[in-house]
């Protein structure tokens, strides 16, 4: 990619954030993948050698944040990038870091996912920032994402606090043009200076809490001077206050409606610069607050107006005019403006009455040839005779939820499959409980749960679905892969040794594409009295496709469709031409033994 | 400068994201302000993928809105059929004549609409629906994954812009060893447009 300062380049928001970090001179970048944040580290890892900084996929988000914090303690600039649920995992570190403070600039980029498109919750990281009392910046475009990230390091050092940057799916994954800035070499001639201030003892916490509260006022002053908040004058006695990607929807909606209210664009939603926001609403009869997700700016404005006795009418989520749910777009923002004004200035053209057609949906599914499908099939074959419960986890294999596999009875958060299964087993002593967890998720949050099974003598079967990559988020490396984020060889974690080291005695490793062997391993694991682990290992089919092809012999096929109904493989198709295997078949061969008529055969060259 | 909104609709794994990256970059080369958005992640697992690409003098929103799309590019028939309400009256739909069954259709629990039904859904807004044997052409060239570039070749005859500008972007954005093949795919797409 072009990297000369002054060049105009089309960039994804996440790439722009990575560029901003490099321009700021980071020495360390750490992350755990999660949509929509993954491309930040994906980009940084590709640049690490060129610009001379350390980039890594950490074992989980807590580890990533603490690693970046350590580098910051030593005086270097560091960044951690994660998704909103990752911030939950890292929250223990983040809450205390707000008290302890930092030395080198520390920026935590936390990508939110309104919708949500690929998340368990629609939580708003700006609330988290409010809770932790840490400043948060919210970009509205790729260019601003780069500038904010760069500036966030300066802000962090000025306040001696970690600073959050909060893109959302449509700023992380949207592309826009970006003018590149100069790259600052990483500061590396620094080091940790011993000082009691780095140890968070209760007496220090009490003092630091007072300091942290005071820093909120300092933050407001610095944020008020930032280039990310601005006022656009208009011709009406009402105004719009907006932030992040919603700013773009507001601008376009107003153009379409031919309205020219005053606009206050906020790039620093917490802490809200009082003087700027107060000045704006004082000169406006009424304002509509349009921010995606929770009323973070709106609630601060309401408090401010009450405290300062400002009489402006504040409309938004609290008045029911603007939604706090889901993702915004221009059409929704138009309707929020209409709700707030009580009328629509431009009548919608009658043409817009067309409803979307009712068509069969297309949810994501396990790929053709995915070994998870085989593992689910085998364990369900064994478990169905005993009404087993299947506890799932976060990853591609969450898609095992869908029919016909129906192999996920629960799914909560990273690592919870193992522990929920355990909790169930304490109540339902006669029923078998299984947990499915991927390799990356097991290393992220599964090991402690497994140790708990051993320690408390649980009777739970854990199936580690090991496809040797973090597939769902884009095939990132992890400690079990043997490669670092920057592509260098790395020690490869041996899952079997880890599991045995945690004290599990019944451990087997199988290739799930060998269906009969997997069924037998499942039988042994479920019959075992105590914690049992089966490592179902086959490389992700997207990384390593078996070199085989299969076809259905028309002479033998009775069109019973058992193959389709049992496996749900997208490459087996039944239509007017009968049952056939499409050319998307990845060659796993798992359907072969399932066919009662032995009609599925390998293509021999 | 005219505003042109594109919506690319396909199935995860068909290459819609690369094609939309190329289309966005071409817009930038042709002097437009460009915004583009789509969702990565879950959609890659054979799910629905919609890419929004917007060219204009000044583009705010990265998302196209209903009733605004000038060109709908369907990588798969059913996926194209989801978006008539996003199309502008008299707009153009370029649809790959290719069908991928969604899971429920495959399990016999839902019906895949006929080509005629899909065409009539789109004609509620589209001025014309242009069918392209994109996957067929790409397969003939040796790789069905090039369907995106075939469709871009077809689209380039409608949108205009210097052909060399399109080719220069393709050359820069596809893997080096597939440059020549992708140029052939682009030319084949143009030829299919007649």
């Amino acid at each position: 990619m072009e990297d000369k300062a002054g060049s105009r380049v089309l960039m994804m928001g996440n790439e722009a954030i990575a560029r901003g970090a490099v321009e700021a001179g980071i020495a360390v970048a750490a992350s755990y993948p999660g949509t929509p944040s993954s491309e930040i580290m994906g980009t940084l890892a590709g640049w690490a050698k060129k610009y001379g900084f350390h980039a890594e996929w950490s074992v989980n988000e807590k580890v990533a944040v603490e690693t970046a914090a350590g580098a910051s303690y030593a005086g270097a600039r560091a960044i951690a990038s994660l998704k909103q649920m990752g911030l939950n995992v890292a929250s223990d570190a983040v809450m205390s870091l707000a008290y302890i403070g930092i030395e080198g600039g520390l920026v935590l980029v936390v990508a939110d996912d309104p919708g949500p498109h690929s998340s368990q919750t629609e939580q708003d990281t700006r609330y988290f920032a409010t809770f932790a009392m840490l400043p948060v910046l919210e970009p509205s475009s790729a260019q601003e994402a780069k500038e904010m990230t760069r500036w966030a390091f300066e802000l962090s050092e000025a306040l001696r606090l970690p600073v959050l940057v909060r893109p959302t799916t449509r700023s992380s994954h949207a592309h826009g043009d970006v003018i590149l800035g100069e790259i600052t070499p990483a500061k590396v001639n620094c080091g940790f200076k011993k000082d009691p201030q780095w140890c968070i003892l209760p007496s220090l916490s009490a003092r630091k809490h007072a300091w942290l509260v005071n820093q909120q006022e300092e933050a407001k002053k610095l944020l008020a001077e930032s280039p990310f908040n601005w006022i656009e004058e208009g011709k009406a006695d009402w105004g719009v206050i907006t932030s992040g990607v919603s700013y773009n929807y507001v601008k376009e909606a107003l153009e379409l409606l031919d309205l020219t209210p005053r606009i206050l664009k906020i790039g620093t939603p917490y802490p809200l610069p009082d003087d700027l926001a107060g000045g704006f609403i004082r000169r406006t009869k009424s304002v509509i607050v349009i921010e995606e997700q929770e009323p973070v700016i709106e609630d601060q404005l309401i408090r401010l107006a009450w405290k300062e006795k400002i009489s402006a009418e504040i409309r938004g989520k609290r008045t029911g005019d603007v939604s706090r749910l889901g993702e915004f777009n221009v059409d929704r923002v138009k309707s929020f403006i209409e709700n707030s004004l009580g009328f629509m200035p431009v009548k919608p053209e009658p043409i817009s009455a067309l409803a979307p057609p009712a068509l069969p949906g297309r949810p994501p599914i396990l790929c053709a040839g995915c070994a998870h499908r085989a593992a689910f099939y085998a364990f369900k074959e064994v478990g169905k005779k005993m009404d087993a419960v299947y506890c799932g986890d976060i990853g591609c294999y969450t898609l095992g939820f869908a029919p016909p596999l129906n192999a996920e009875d629960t799914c909560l958060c990273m690592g919870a499959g193992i522990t929920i299964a355990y909790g169930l087993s304490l109540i339902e002593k006669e029923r078998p409980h299984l947990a499915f967890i991927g390799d990356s998720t097991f290393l992220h949050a599964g090991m402690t749960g497994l140790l708990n099974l051993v320690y408390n003598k649980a009777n739970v079967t854990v199936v580690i679905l090991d496809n040797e990559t973090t597939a769902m988020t884009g095939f990132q490396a992890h400690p079990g892969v043997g490669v670092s984020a920057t592509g260098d060889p790395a020690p490869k974690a041996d899952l079997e040794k880890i599991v045995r080291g945690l004290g599990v005695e019944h451990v087997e490793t199988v290739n799930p594409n060998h269906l009969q062997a997997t069924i037998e391993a499942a039988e042994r694991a479920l019959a075992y009295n105590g914690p049992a682990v089966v490592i179902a290992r086959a490389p992700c089919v997207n990384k390593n496709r078996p070199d085989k092809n299969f076809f259905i012999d028309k002479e033998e096929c009775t069109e019973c469709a058992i193959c389709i109904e049992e496996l749900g493989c997208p490459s087996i198709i039944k239509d007017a031409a009968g049952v056939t295997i499409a050319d998307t078949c990845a060659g796993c061969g798992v359907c072969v033994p399932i066919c009662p008529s032995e009609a599925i055969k390998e293509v021999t060259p | 400068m005219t505003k042109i909104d594109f919506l690319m609709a396909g199935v995860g794994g068909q290459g819609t994201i690369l094609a939309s990256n190329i289309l966005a970059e071409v817009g930038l080369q042709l002097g437009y302000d460009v915004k583009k958005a789509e969702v990565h992640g879950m959609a890659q697992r054979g799910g629905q993928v919609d890419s929004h690409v917007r060219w204009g003098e000044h583009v705010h929103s990265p998302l196209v809105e209903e009733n605004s799309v000038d060109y709908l590019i369907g990588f798969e028939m059913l996926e194209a059929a989801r978006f008539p309400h996003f199309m502008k009256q008299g707009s153009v739909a370029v649809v790959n004549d290719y069908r991928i069954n969604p899971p429920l259709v495959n399990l016999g629990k839902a019906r895949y609409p006929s080509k005629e039904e899909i065409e009539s859904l789109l004609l509620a807004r589209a001025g014309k629906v242009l069918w392209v044997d994109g996957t067929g052409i790409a397969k003939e060239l040796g790789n069905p994954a090039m369907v995106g570039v075939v469709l871009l070749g077809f689209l380039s005859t409608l949108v205009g812009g210097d052909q060399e500008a399109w080719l220069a972007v393709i050359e820069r954005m596809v893997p080096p060893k597939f440059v020549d093949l992708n140029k052939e795919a682009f030319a084949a797409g143009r030829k299919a447009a007649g």
Side-chain angles (χ1 to χ4, degrees), chain B residues 60-144:
Chain B
H60 298 291
S61 165
L63 299 176
V64 300
E65 60 252 32
E66 292 190 16
N67 203 10
S68 78
V69 167
D70 300 278
Y71 297 97
L72 172 71
I73 302 106
F75 281 56
E76 198 272 348
M77 292 156 61
L78 177 66
E79 291 314 312
R82 294 190 200 283
F83 295 103
H85 57 302
F86 272 81
M87 300 185 75
K88 198 186 270 179
Q89 194 70 45
S91 54
V92 179
V94 175
V95 187
N96 184 24
D97 194 348
Y98 186 66
R99 165 176 169 164
I100 303 173
N101 282 348
L104 282 180
V105 170
N106 225 14
L107 291 168
K109 292 183 173 134
R111 190 181 69 87
Y112 195 103
S114 71
K115 189 170 167 180
E116 292 69 32
E117 286 172 88
I118 288 172
E119 181 156 322
S120 89
L121 281 170
L122 292 171
L123 284 172
R125 283 286 172 79
K128 51 187 171 182
V129 177
L130 304 171
W131 295 94
V132 193
D133 182 21
T135 301
I137 293 169
K139 272 187 193 167
E140 243 168 65
L141 289 169
N143 190 346

Side-chain angles (χ1 to χ4, degrees), chain A residues 1 3 11-29 40 43-44 47 51 53 77-79 105 107 109 141-154 165 178-185 228:
Chain A
M1 192 183 279
D3 79 341
M11 276 184 153
M12 191 196 296
N14 281 345
E15 292 169 337
I17 288 167
R19 173 74 191 192
V22 173
E23 289 183 7
I26 50 163
V28 169
I40 299 169
T43 306
L44 285 172
W47 291 344
Y51 300 119
F53 60 89
R77 289 186 166 181
I79 189 169
V107 174
V109 182
S141 66
Q143 179 80 51
E144 201 175 41
K146 179 184 85 67
E147 303 305 338
M148 271 184 181
T149 307
R150 184 182 176 130
W151 187 74
F153 287 92
E154 290 168 32
V165 176
V178 176
I179 312 275
L180 304 182
E182 294 289 348
I183 289 172
T184 313
F228 309 117

